[in-house]
Amino acid sequence: MPKPLKILVVDDEETLCELLRFNLETEGYEVDVAYSAEEALMLDISAYSLILLDIMMGDISGVQLASIVRNNVKTAQIPIIFCTARDSEADMIGGLDLGADDYITKPYSVRNVIARVRSVLRRCDRQHVADKSECVAFRTLSVFPSRKMCTVDGKEVKMPRKEFEILCLLLSNPGTVFSREELIRRIWPEEVVVLDRVVDVNITRLRSKLGEYGKNIVTRSGYGYVFTE
């Protein structure tokens, strides 16, 4: 039998951690808990398939921990679901902008959390890129879908999952204009409420990382985005 997927729950509410651990283990997952970001950083985060992360914690916040995870090449692609009492639109956009794969506000039902976990893990198993070849390239910009890696002039460009998947989609379909709605449908699951602004933020961040190739991701006013050669 295949090994169960490992999930890390990071929250300073011990009772909540244990509740999530019990229910997720009942669903067949292997679960570890950490009661602070500092405790989580003592673990081998690269071993986990998903992280459930509270935002408001001690000296190192959940936002800071997410940034650390996203900036490490070994953990950058691990999906993160924020679970937090901060429910404003600005907080949600900020969390998604960091590369979070979902954002659940407290109080929440355990059934809702489990459904979101399943959804995110399913999406991570699906291939979002139309071209499944080993390399999709334009001049010295190369994307390796199976290796989840992007290079410019032979140097790796680090980026979170959402930016990488957007780049794969656009680069695999040069000249095709994708509306914000189409990008949301392809890159984010239908169950997640994603604002158009989140797409714009990811595009802006992606452009800034691609150097001279940033200008090849063009905005078609009123229509969407396209990679032009």
Side-chain angles (χ1 to χ4, degrees):
M1 293 180 61
K3 294 180 62 176
L5 298 178
K6 293 186 67 174
I7 295 175
L8 175 61
V9 178
V10 187
D11 197 307
D12 56 6
E13 296 183 50
E14 295 187 20
T15 301
L16 184 56
C17 282
E18 295 306 321
L19 177 66
L20 289 173
R21 190 213 299 259
F22 173 79
N23 283 275
L24 287 167
E25 287 182 342
T26 300
E27 293 295 318
Y29 301 108
E30 183 178 335
V31 182
D32 290 331
V33 300
Y35 303 128
S36 68
E38 291 88 342
E39 189 176 333
L41 289 170
M42 296 175 65
L43 302 172
D44 179 11
I45 293 179
S46 65
Y48 296 97
S49 299
L50 183 141
I51 302 173
L52 280 166
L53 178 59
D54 184 30
I55 286 183
M56 295 185 292
M57 292 188 288
D59 293 336
I60 300 178
S61 70
V63 170
Q64 291 171 305
L65 177 57
S67 180
I68 292 170
V69 170
R70 286 289 176 256
N71 288 320
N72 185 329
V73 66
K74 293 182 179 180
T75 59
Q77 301 303 319
I78 297 174
I80 294 173
I81 299 178
F82 276 133
C83 298
T84 177
R86 300 176 63 171
D87 60 355
S88 73
E89 181 178 297
D91 289 327
M92 184 177 296
I93 291 175
L96 293 171
D97 183 28
L98 270 175
D101 294 78
D102 203 347
Y103 190 105
I104 307 174
T105 58
K106 297 178 180 178
Y108 50 72
S109 71
V110 173
R111 290 180 62 188
N112 182 32
V113 174
I114 292 174
R116 300 293 188 96
V117 167
R118 286 174 177 163
S119 175
V120 169
L121 290 173
R122 278 200 306 268
R123 187 178 75 249
C124 293
D125 285 338
R126 291 197 300 259
Q127 177 57 264
H128 292 288
V129 185
D131 190 332
K132 297 183 180 179
S133 63
E134 174 60 22
C135 178
V136 184
F138 172 69
R139 296 179 185 170
T140 62
L141 166 63
S142 300
V143 170
F144 302 87
S146 62
R147 294 161 57 190
K148 312 302 181 190
M149 186 173 74
C150 169
T151 62
V152 173
D153 298 325
K155 297 180 179 179
E156 183 176 0
V157 179
K158 297 178 181 178
M159 61 186 68
R161 181 187 301 272
K162 293 295 174 290
E163 294 172 21
F164 181 80
E165 291 182 351
I166 290 171
L167 177 60
C168 280
L169 181 62
L170 295 179
L171 189 59
S172 297
N173 298 275
T176 300
V177 178
F178 290 92
S179 67
R180 291 178 178 84
E181 293 76 14
E182 177 71 3
L183 288 172
I184 290 171
R185 187 179 69 80
R186 288 183 178 237
I187 306 301
W188 285 269
E190 295 179 359
E191 298 92 334
V192 179
V193 176
V194 179
L195 306 174
D196 287 355
R197 172 64 179 157
V198 174
V199 177
D200 298 337
V201 167
N202 276 272
I203 292 288
T204 298
R205 290 165 63 94
L206 181 56
R207 283 171 171 158
S208 69
K209 294 176 181 179
L210 295 180
E212 63 176 301
Y213 295 109
K215 68 179 185 298
N216 293 96
I217 299 178
V218 176
T219 303
R220 297 295 189 212
S221 183
Y223 294 97
Y225 296 100
V226 57
F227 189 92
T228 60
E229 299 183 343

